[in-house]
Amino acid sequence: MADKVILLDFWPSPFGVRARIALREKGVEFEYREENLRDKSPLLLQMNPVYKKIPVLIHNGKPVCESMNVVQYIDEVWSDKNPILPSDPYQRAQARFWVDFVDTKLYEPADKIWQTKGEEQETAKKEYIEALKILESELGDKPYFGGDTFGFVDIAMTGYYSWFEASEKLANFSIEPECPTLMASAKRCLQRESVVKSLHDSEKILAFAYKIRKIYCV
């Protein structure tokens, strides 16, 4: 019996896009189902009753939740094409460490950049750039965090890369002068076929960001 793969997602999500990219890197056919996060579907609530969040990958009726957990699951199930995590145990551990750093150190300041203003926003921008500089140091002169291959950390970061332009315009700052090597890798990632097919136009993301900003009355 053929695999039935459904992805519950929300189009601008920097976390949902990770699952989309991983599935396309592996060449997996899947059914995309857009969620309204203000009126969550019964299926989402059934498949992720703990967090009630996207993305949720439903593989032959069984749910897998949390974006990078989904990515790792995809890598392990469809292991015959385009490995996402390295085979070496130490390198795998390092990749997981940096993904944890990405979501621990980038998410909060990124969120505050487009939800706050004034001194709070300036602090968020500073924290964001500081975290990006640490990531740039880890990247070094490699084309990708995975070395010569697009991998686990790159997929985690691409969700943030997709929001770089919107963040810069909303908060009036520029990432490239501070992190030129990281930006070069970001542009490389954003040109991959799996990424191009998974992302929406940057102007659409910017319009969504402005809409969210109005909700927060800033």
Side-chain angles (χ1 to χ4, degrees):
M1 186 178 78
D3 285 328
K4 184 175 181 180
V5 181
I6 299 169
L7 182 64
L8 307 183
D9 201 354
F10 178 51
W11 71 267
S13 170
F15 304 105
V17 74
R18 295 166 168 180
R20 283 173 253 158
I21 292 168
L23 287 165
R24 290 186 169 114
E25 282 287 323
K26 295 288 187 174
V28 178
E29 295 291 329
F30 65 98
E31 178 186 344
Y32 178 91
R33 294 193 188 177
E34 179 76 4
E35 284 288 331
N36 178 352
L37 300 187
R38 294 194 169 198
D39 184 19
K40 297 174 183 178
S41 72
L43 184 60
L44 175 59
L45 299 178
Q46 175 191 349
M47 291 294 168
N48 191 358
V50 177
Y51 291 124
K52 304 176 178 64
K53 293 180 179 180
I54 56 90
V56 179
L57 182 78
I58 306 171
H59 183 206
N60 295 332
K62 297 178 180 179
V64 183
C65 307
E66 293 296 288
S67 64
M68 294 312 292
N69 187 45
V70 170
V71 171
Q72 186 166 344
Y73 177 84
I74 291 166
D75 192 39
E76 292 172 355
V77 171
W78 292 279
S79 58
D80 58 331
K81 181 181 179 183
N82 290 351
I84 292 171
L85 273 156
S87 58
D88 178 75
Y90 177 75
Q91 291 179 355
R92 289 171 74 89
Q94 288 297 100
R96 286 191 287 263
F97 171 86
W98 285 108
V99 163
D100 180 73
F101 177 90
V102 167
D103 284 342
T104 301
K105 296 296 185 180
L106 282 187
Y107 177 74
E108 186 174 339
D111 204 39
K112 286 182 177 179
I113 281 171
W114 50 273
Q115 290 188 10
T116 64
K117 59 183 177 180
E119 186 176 337
E120 191 174 1
Q121 189 187 64
E122 290 302 313
T123 299
K125 287 193 292 187
K126 182 180 178 182
E127 291 175 356
Y128 194 56
I129 291 295
E130 285 175 354
L132 290 176
K133 284 182 175 179
I134 292 171
L135 286 161
E136 182 173 67
S137 178
E138 168 59 20
L139 175 68
D141 59 1
K142 304 186 296 292
Y144 300 105
F145 283 97
D148 292 328
T149 57
F150 180 76
F152 197 59
V153 183
D154 304 293
I155 288 176
M157 283 297 292
T158 299
Y160 289 94
Y161 295 156
S162 68
W163 276 81
F164 271 7
E165 185 178 346
S167 297
E168 289 175 323
K169 288 182 177 179
L170 283 174
N172 192 31
F173 75 116
S174 182
I175 296 169
E176 189 160 16
E178 301 284 351
C179 305
T181 306
L182 182 68
M183 281 300 294
S185 183
K187 291 174 183 177
R188 197 174 291 117
C189 291
L190 292 171
Q191 291 170 356
R192 287 185 71 82
E193 183 179 359
S194 64
V195 175
V196 171
K197 288 181 176 180
S198 299
L199 289 179
H200 286 263
D201 180 81
S202 60
E203 289 301 317
K204 188 176 179 181
I205 292 175
L206 180 61
F208 176 79
Y210 275 115
K211 183 179 178 181
I212 293 296
R213 193 165 173 79
K214 284 183 180 179
I215 292 172
Y216 286 91
C217 300
V218 297

